[in-house]
Amino acid sequence: MSLLNLKPINKDRTLRANVVEQLREAIISGELAPGTKLVESQLSALLGVSRGPLREAIRQLVDQGLIESIPYTGTYVANITVKAIQELYSFRTELEQFAFKLVWENRGEDFRKELNSQLEKLTAAIKSNNKEAAIFEELELHNVVYKHCGHELLQDSWHRLRGRLHLYFTLHQQAHNRTGPYIDAHDKYVTLALGDDLDAMLNHVTEHMQQGYNKVENLVSDIRSHLP
Amino acid sequence: MSLLNLKPINKDRTLRANVVEQLREAIISGELAPGTKLVESQLSALLGVSRGPLREAIRQLVDQGLIESIPYTGTYVANITVKAIQELYSFRTELEQFAFKLVWENRGEDFRKELNSQLEKLTAAIKSNNKEAAIFEELELHNVVYKHCGHELLQDSWHRLRGRLHLYFTLHQQAHNRTGPYIDAHDKYVTLALGDDLDAMLNHVTEHMQQGYNKVENLVSDIRSHLP
DNA sequence: AACGGTATGATTGTTGACAATCATACCGCT
DNA sequence: AGCGGTATGATTGTCAACAATCATACCGTT
């Protein structure tokens, strides 16, 4: 049995899990704009689900920072603020540096393969001008690093950020309708990630994040001007 | 109105919030041992609450890592593993170093006061041999740092770890029935935190965490031998 | 005895109805 | 007009009953 490469089956086929997935998708794709009020009765009808599982799903998304809830008043798609963006990027910098420190001595052939393969997918998506895919593949590229750390807590933490990050990317893309100069940046990222200089990589992470931050920095005002 | 020092009122007086609080308290105090199966009908009867809010509370505690849930099968108080402890401590090291980097240039008089006052409380609790209080005050001491960062994401992340950390401390204390040499360690911690050498502080955090880790390292086997 | 299949009981998942709470609009007063 | 108070409608919070799923024990077969 050398082909014992089976993924753990997802037994979580509860309604709640499906609702989480659907809502998450709707939010990070921009379909549900930030600040939108989520009325339980409407949503439950829309999803063909009772309010019970819906509420449980909402609780989960609140913990992921995608939804804000005020008791007896309402639940809203998380609003975007400058501070939230700053925090996300500074925090993410620390997380990713930690990830590289962890993975550095354990980078094997599979790590290298996955990273390169993911870079190709990202490049292809950008070249074909498929913006949604480009966003997804960029996040997947970074995800490779976290996945190979073998650090569940770190991975969970990253997954928590990922949703909001995805949302910011989407909103930025919708506001400017251009993908930006991603390719070169990620070429260097991967090269360094497969190289021998950890410090150089860590510095590049800081720099890489700073670039990303600069891109979405004006998101708040951009959005206000685009969707008045 | 110079005495405008009012805390934001907690409008979250829903049953769900109360249940979260109660369950969290019961778990981190060791009242509900790790691995305990939580049967919804029993719990809801015990708490005098219906299963609806209880289930929502469980969802929240699952996200905090204090409860594990397997669909259609059962929910259990999170089990303790060596890997989980390692991850918690390594992750916490990064978090706290990040916190000090953030707070360093913004340490004001209030920061210093709170830190000292909290150290006194911790010392008092240890000297009076009040073990539960000592654990709480130690966590509160570290909490001061996170609180003054003004970084919500970091604070949320810390709060997520705090519950599990509290649990580990409690179990360690119950297994060995001694508080350990906390005082000196935290004296130095506070001294450095109020000093001028950030690098020294960061190094001490690593060291401090390592000490903490060493203490709870054998928790898994300890527990197995104490509660067979 | 070991294995495969099946019935049973318990537990979780889900639902629709009911109660508590809040935001809005309206009215009267100053 | 501006302010305070009150009724109303909508929405969230909560509950108790029903359905789906799973773990266990039992039984027959090989």
Side-chain angles (χ1 to χ4, degrees):
Chain A
M1 282 229 228
S2 67
L3 281 184
L4 206 45
N5 201 2
L6 39 158
K7 301 168 188 170
I9 57 173
N10 187 7
K11 295 195 61 169
D12 204 346
R13 51 200 195 294
T14 62
L15 276 189
R16 174 186 63 246
N18 285 21
V19 172
V20 167
E21 208 173 324
Q22 296 255 348
L23 278 184
R24 187 183 152 93
E25 186 59 36
I27 292 175
I28 67 179
S29 72
E31 204 173 336
L32 285 171
T36 305
K37 176 159 189 178
L38 301 176
V39 181
E40 293 180 1
S41 53
Q42 291 177 6
L43 271 185
S44 68
L46 208 62
L47 293 167
V49 168
S50 180
R51 278 181 57 216
L54 173 68
R55 284 172 59 85
E56 292 179 20
I58 287 179
R59 236 22 83 199
Q60 243 169 290
L61 290 168
V62 167
D63 281 334
Q64 288 186 22
L66 287 175
I67 288 183
E68 287 164 4
S69 164
I70 305 170
Y72 286 107
T73 302
T75 63
Y76 307 83
V77 178
N79 259 308
I80 237 172
T81 66
V82 181
K83 187 159 181 292
I85 298 178
Q86 287 173 341
E87 290 194 358
L88 190 62
Y89 271 89
S90 61
F91 196 69
R92 194 188 156 209
T93 303
E94 297 295 319
L95 242 52
E96 199 144 327
Q97 286 178 337
F98 181 42
F100 272 110
K101 284 190 280 183
L102 281 177
V103 84
W104 204 252
E105 300 300 330
N106 292 49
R107 295 172 300 165
E109 188 55 32
D110 48 345
F111 176 73
R112 186 185 146 161
K113 262 189 182 167
E114 273 196 60
L115 211 57
N116 277 323
S117 134
Q118 199 52 50
L119 178 60
E120 279 179 31
K121 286 186 192 169
L122 172 58
T123 309
I126 295 175
K127 282 188 177 165
S128 69
N129 209 27
N130 185 342
K131 286 154 190 166
E132 290 86 5
I135 291 175
F136 174 77
E137 300 297 355
E138 166 163 6
L139 290 168
E140 276 292 301
L141 179 68
H142 291 279
N143 191 61
V144 172
V145 182
Y146 292 99
K147 205 171 58 181
H148 279 78
C149 290
H151 197 297
E152 280 186 52
L153 214 50
L154 175 59
Q155 210 169 339
D156 285 357
S157 222
W158 156 245
H159 192 257
R160 253 192 208 87
L161 300 191
R162 183 173 172 167
R164 266 183 281 185
L165 206 53
H166 197 136
L167 174 58
Y168 295 163
F169 285 173
T170 301
L171 295 174
H172 175 76
Q173 184 265 310
Q174 289 179 352
H176 294 318
N177 199 33
R178 55 179 169 79
T179 49
Y182 289 126
I183 297 186
D184 295 348
H186 288 94
D187 271 347
K188 185 175 180 187
Y189 180 88
V190 170
T191 303
L192 280 171
L194 296 176
D196 283 331
D197 193 340
L198 176 57
D199 283 332
M201 182 72 232
L202 297 183
N203 286 331
H204 181 66
V205 168
T206 306
E207 195 182 316
H208 187 90
M209 296 299 164
Q210 186 61 40
Q211 284 179 10
Y213 172 70
N214 289 338
K215 224 180 298 180
V216 294
E217 191 181 16
N218 300 320
L219 203 50
V220 183
S221 48
D222 288 353
I223 290 173
R224 296 214 197 295
S225 61
H226 279 249
L227 318 165
Chain B
M1 280 234 224
S2 67
L3 280 183
L4 205 46
N5 201 2
L6 39 158
K7 300 168 187 170
I9 57 172
N10 187 7
K11 295 194 60 167
D12 203 347
R13 51 200 194 294
T14 62
L15 276 190
R16 174 185 64 246
N18 286 22
V19 172
V20 167
E21 208 174 323
Q22 295 255 348
L23 277 184
R24 187 183 151 94
E25 186 58 37
I27 293 175
I28 67 179
S29 72
E31 205 172 335
L32 285 170
T36 305
K37 176 158 189 177
L38 301 176
V39 180
E40 293 179 3
S41 52
Q42 291 176 8
L43 271 184
S44 67
L46 209 61
L47 293 166
V49 168
S50 178
R51 279 180 57 214
L54 174 68
R55 283 172 61 86
E56 292 180 20
I58 287 179
R59 239 18 89 198
Q60 243 169 288
L61 289 168
V62 167
D63 282 334
Q64 288 187 23
L66 286 176
I67 288 183
E68 286 163 6
S69 163
I70 306 170
Y72 287 108
T73 301
T75 63
Y76 307 83
V77 178
N79 259 307
I80 237 174
T81 67
V82 181
K83 186 159 180 292
I85 297 178
Q86 286 174 341
E87 289 194 359
L88 190 62
Y89 271 89
S90 62
F91 196 69
R92 195 188 154 208
T93 304
E94 298 295 319
L95 243 52
E96 200 144 328
Q97 286 178 337
F98 181 42
F100 272 109
K101 285 190 280 183
L102 282 177
V103 85
W104 204 253
E105 300 300 330
N106 293 49
R107 295 172 300 164
E109 188 54 33
D110 49 346
F111 176 73
R112 187 186 145 159
K113 263 189 183 168
E114 274 196 58
L115 211 56
N116 276 323
S117 134
Q118 199 53 50
L119 179 60
E120 279 177 32
K121 286 187 192 169
L122 172 57
T123 308
I126 295 176
K127 282 189 178 163
S128 70
N129 208 26
N130 185 342
K131 287 154 189 167
E132 291 85 4
I135 292 175
F136 174 77
E137 300 298 355
E138 166 162 6
L139 290 168
E140 276 293 301
L141 179 69
H142 290 278
N143 191 62
V144 172
V145 182
Y146 291 99
K147 205 171 56 182
H148 279 78
C149 290
H151 197 297
E152 281 187 49
L153 214 52
L154 175 59
Q155 210 168 340
D156 285 357
S157 222
W158 156 245
H159 192 257
R160 253 193 209 88
L161 300 191
R162 183 173 171 166
R164 265 182 282 184
L165 207 51
H166 197 136
L167 175 58
Y168 295 163
F169 285 173
T170 302
L171 294 175
H172 175 77
Q173 184 264 312
Q174 289 179 351
H176 294 317
N177 199 32
R178 55 179 170 82
T179 50
Y182 288 126
I183 297 187
D184 296 347
H186 287 95
D187 270 347
K188 184 174 181 189
Y189 180 89
V190 170
T191 304
L192 280 170
L194 296 177
D196 283 331
D197 192 341
L198 175 58
D199 283 332
M201 182 72 232
L202 297 184
N203 286 332
H204 181 65
V205 168
T206 306
E207 196 183 314
H208 188 90
M209 296 299 164
Q210 187 62 40
Q211 283 178 10
Y213 172 70
N214 289 338
K215 226 181 295 181
V216 293
E217 191 181 16
N218 300 319
L219 204 50
V220 182
S221 48
D222 287 353
I223 291 172
R224 297 216 197 294
S225 60
H226 280 250
L227 319 164

